[in-house]
Amino acid sequence: MAQNELAHALEILKSHKVRLTPQRKTILNYLITHHTHPSAEMIYEDLKQHDDSISIATVYNTVRLLVDYHLVIELKNGDGSTHFDYFGQPHYHVVCENCGKIADVFAPEFSRLNQQLDEITRQQTHYLVNRTDIEVKGLCPECQAKLGLLHNR
Amino acid sequence: MAQNELAHALEILKSHKVRLTPQRKTILNYLITHHTHPSAEMIYEDLKQHDDSISIATVYNTVRLLVDYHLVIELKNGDGSTHFDYFGQPHYHVVCENCGKIADVFAPEFSRLNQQLDEITRQQTHYLVNRTDIEVKGLCPECQAKLGLLHNR
DNA sequence: CCCTAAATTTAGAATGATTCTTAACGGAGA
DNA sequence: TCTCCGTTAAGAATCATTCTAAATTTAGGG
């Protein structure tokens, strides 16, 4: 399944005449198999640990490329860097405003909601819509507990 | 109306025991009366032109404060800086991926959609939801025309 | 299978938005 | 009015990201 996912993503790139370099395959595969919402720096460090060492510039170039082709989406969690997530299945994200932890949300309504939003947006602004991202912010269960304790003193 | 809006916003800050300094009032008033989605730098430059000169550090501090109290929301348009918008009426934004122009979208469904999203998010992740932002990306009418011309050659 | 053009990778420098630091200042409650 | 403590300001510092230029590599054609 992850194997198919990689092949599928590579196929999309290929069909756009994007060169399939080893670095791009490595990073794409990393994102498909690690749903940890890593930053460019984290991808770079993690790959350095293992066999493949890829320059930080290439990591930045590649994730931007993958975002352009809608294979990956960008996330901000307030730590100053940009985080990335492979976008195989439609979903959105919740970010903890206290610790920055990111969680995925898979909602069956997601596609329909997006279509609705696209339509409203198009009618009201005449923009040609490419993508719609939903970003929810709040407190993760752990931070609720922590902050709850403090409030109870 | 803008007058009331300012008073209303100041009241919210006051109720949270936030000090109402002249700088904060100036910046808040600027954002209430300028729906141009300015960056911190743009706010700083624009206020320098007129009577009030406020340090760039204070502009950054103040917009962060206003975001924390949900009076203002942050936007990214791909130019590297963060843009700000007074959030008096619930709305969301479309960003042009070509030129960065930001447009507001006011949808009557917006509040209901948000509630739905909050509920789904809460059930699935147990996060305590604070706010939900929707960000649509696409091409503004002008850029559609420009790029359309290029494609037709 | 080899060659070539054009794209990509890389290391390190450069950029630039944002944050930090520290001293002076000023709101607001008593 | 006084005092405490949060806020402002200028400039330095940080750090994520982009840029630069040279070396390398992909992919298509012969």
Side-chain angles (χ1 to χ4, degrees):
Chain A
M1 161 131 157
Q3 208 57 255
N4 288 342
E5 199 65 45
L6 178 59
H8 171 249
L10 290 175
E11 199 49 51
I12 289 173
L13 293 177
K14 204 174 188 177
S15 74
H16 287 276
K17 307 212 189 302
V18 171
R19 288 199 185 169
L20 304 182
T21 66
Q23 291 87 343
R24 287 176 177 172
K25 288 180 190 170
T26 299
I27 292 170
L28 184 47
N29 185 59
Y30 181 88
L31 285 170
I32 288 174
T33 55
H34 294 76
H35 293 178
T36 52
H37 317 101
S39 64
E41 187 70 30
M42 291 158 84
I43 298 171
Y44 170 72
E45 287 299 335
D46 217 359
L47 291 176
K48 190 158 64 176
Q49 243 61 60
H50 299 75
D51 39 354
D52 317 289
S53 201
I54 298 176
S55 81
I56 189 72
T58 297
V59 175
Y60 274 106
N61 286 338
T62 301
V63 290
R64 181 198 282 165
L65 178 91
L66 297 176
V67 168
D68 284 347
Y69 286 104
H70 294 217
L71 290 169
V72 162
I73 66 178
E74 292 183 324
L75 304 164
K76 302 270 181 186
N77 76 338
D79 73 350
S81 64
T82 303
H83 295 248
F84 301 93
D85 192 24
Y86 180 70
F87 201 62
Q89 298 300 317
H91 64 283
Y92 61 93
H93 298 91
V94 216
V95 177
C96 179
E97 289 182 311
N98 192 241
C99 71
K101 186 161 63 182
I102 301 169
D104 297 313
V105 186
F106 295 87
E109 298 91 332
F110 186 65
S111 299
R112 188 164 40 77
L113 275 180
N114 265 10
Q115 285 179 353
Q116 255 185 278
L117 287 168
D118 285 6
E119 183 62 18
I120 295 169
T121 305
R122 197 177 58 69
Q123 286 179 0
Q124 233 180 88
T125 65
H126 303 291
Y127 272 53
L128 181 64
V129 175
N130 261 330
R131 60 183 117 194
T132 301
D133 291 337
I134 295 173
E135 195 186 275
V136 182
K137 290 175 188 165
L139 283 180
C140 70
E142 290 75 18
C143 286
Q144 286 174 52
K146 267 188 238 162
L147 299 178
L149 271 176
L150 288 175
H151 289 159
N152 287 342
R153 313 181 71 243
Chain B
M1 161 134 157
Q3 208 57 257
N4 288 341
E5 198 63 46
L6 179 57
H8 172 248
L10 289 175
E11 200 47 52
I12 289 174
L13 292 177
K14 204 174 189 177
S15 75
H16 286 277
K17 306 211 190 303
V18 171
R19 287 202 187 164
L20 304 183
T21 66
Q23 291 88 342
R24 287 176 176 170
K25 288 179 189 169
T26 300
I27 292 170
L28 185 47
N29 185 59
Y30 181 88
L31 285 171
I32 287 174
T33 55
H34 294 76
H35 293 178
T36 53
H37 316 100
S39 64
E41 187 70 31
M42 291 159 85
I43 297 170
Y44 170 73
E45 287 297 334
D46 217 358
L47 290 177
K48 190 158 63 178
Q49 243 62 58
H50 300 75
D51 38 354
D52 316 289
S53 201
I54 298 176
S55 81
I56 188 72
T58 297
V59 175
Y60 274 106
N61 285 339
T62 301
V63 292
R64 183 199 281 166
L65 178 90
L66 298 177
V67 168
D68 284 348
Y69 285 103
H70 295 217
L71 291 170
V72 163
I73 64 178
E74 294 182 324
L75 303 165
K76 302 271 181 184
N77 75 339
D79 74 350
S81 64
T82 303
H83 296 249
F84 301 93
D85 192 24
Y86 180 69
F87 201 62
Q89 298 299 318
H91 64 282
Y92 61 93
H93 297 92
V94 216
V95 177
C96 179
E97 289 182 309
N98 192 240
C99 71
K101 186 161 63 184
I102 300 169
D104 297 313
V105 186
F106 295 86
E109 297 90 333
F110 187 66
S111 299
R112 189 164 39 77
L113 274 181
N114 266 11
Q115 284 179 352
Q116 256 185 278
L117 286 169
D118 285 5
E119 184 62 17
I120 294 170
T121 304
R122 197 178 58 69
Q123 286 179 358
Q124 232 179 89
T125 66
H126 305 290
Y127 272 53
L128 181 63
V129 174
N130 261 329
R131 62 184 115 193
T132 302
D133 291 338
I134 295 173
E135 195 186 276
V136 183
K137 291 176 188 166
L139 283 180
C140 70
E142 290 75 17
C143 286
Q144 285 174 53
K146 267 188 235 161
L147 299 178
L149 271 176
L150 289 174
H151 289 157
N152 288 343
R153 311 181 73 244

